[in-house]
Amino acid sequence: MKHLRRKFRNYVPKLLSLVSKQVYYRMVRNRVNMPLELGNDYCLKLAETEEEYQGAYHVLHDAYVDVGYAEQRQSGLRVTKYHALGSTYTMIVTHQKKVVGTCSLIVRGEFGIPLDSLLSSTDNETQLPGAVEVSSLAVEKSNRNKGEILFLLV
């Protein structure tokens, strides 16, 4: 039986290559089961107030420090040059009005997008104006086991 399962696994990619992309994507989407059972006290929205922005930057700071992407800062906030632009949108998930998740949508503008720094100058010449990069994705530590929050943000 084990031998049959292994053989079947070897043939699955070949079988899937014969299926149209539309059918393949539908099959993959049907395999994703992410029930959104967060309750009414959770809210996904654009940050609007100073408190909401500070909450987002605090969650971002703590998450980056926890995984070793950044060092602890006295302010407890992580803000990039892109956050200062009017073309950057900060999404937040709140739980009982406290920010528990965040991500930023950075529209290519004056500073480009963070990905541009990894591309060569010839690549930069062919970049689409108005391209958007999802960046600064973070979830508060006590909520990281709730995949629904991450799912809402992406």
Side-chain angles (χ1 to χ4, degrees), residues 4-124:
L4 287 175
R5 271 191 253 154
R6 190 176 307 132
K7 268 193 154 191
F8 180 73
R9 268 195 307 244
N10 290 339
Y11 286 109
V12 168
K14 292 175 186 173
L15 291 172
L16 288 177
S17 70
L18 300 174
V19 176
S20 74
K21 283 187 179 182
Q22 185 178 13
V23 172
Y24 173 76
Y25 291 143
R26 190 176 310 132
M27 289 169 57
V28 170
R29 279 193 300 268
N30 287 338
R31 303 264 316 152
V32 175
N33 184 12
M34 181 65 73
L36 295 176
E37 299 175 8
L38 286 173
N40 294 334
D41 48 353
Y42 285 88
C43 177
L44 172 67
K45 62 178 286 206
L46 285 173
E48 297 173 301
T49 67
E50 184 177 337
E51 291 80 20
E52 290 172 341
Y53 281 106
Q54 283 186 355
Y57 302 149
H58 179 72
V59 168
L60 182 61
H61 170 271
D62 289 353
Y64 276 40
V65 168
D66 284 347
V67 296
Y69 292 162
E71 291 186 19
Q72 184 77 31
R73 292 186 179 160
Q74 188 175 6
S75 68
L77 305 175
R78 178 172 176 80
V79 183
T80 70
K81 65 183 181 182
Y82 300 99
H83 289 117
L85 298 175
S87 59
T88 296
Y89 300 92
T90 301
M91 300 290 302
I92 58 171
V93 174
T94 61
H95 178 248
Q96 298 175 346
K97 301 198 181 216
K98 179 184 178 208
V99 177
V100 296
T102 184
C103 77
S104 296
L105 305 175
I106 302 170
V107 180
R108 179 172 283 122
E110 185 177 339
F111 298 138
I113 56 177
L115 180 63
D116 290 344
S117 64
L118 301 175
L119 302 174
S120 70
S121 60
T122 57
D123 292 332
N124 288 339

Side-chain angles (χ1 to χ4, degrees), residues 140-154:
E140 182 187 51
K141 192 171 194 168
S142 64
N143 285 281
R144 288 188 197 147
N145 63 337
K146 295 181 177 118
E148 293 92 340
I149 294 175
L150 184 63
F151 186 73
L152 283 173
L153 290 166
V154 295

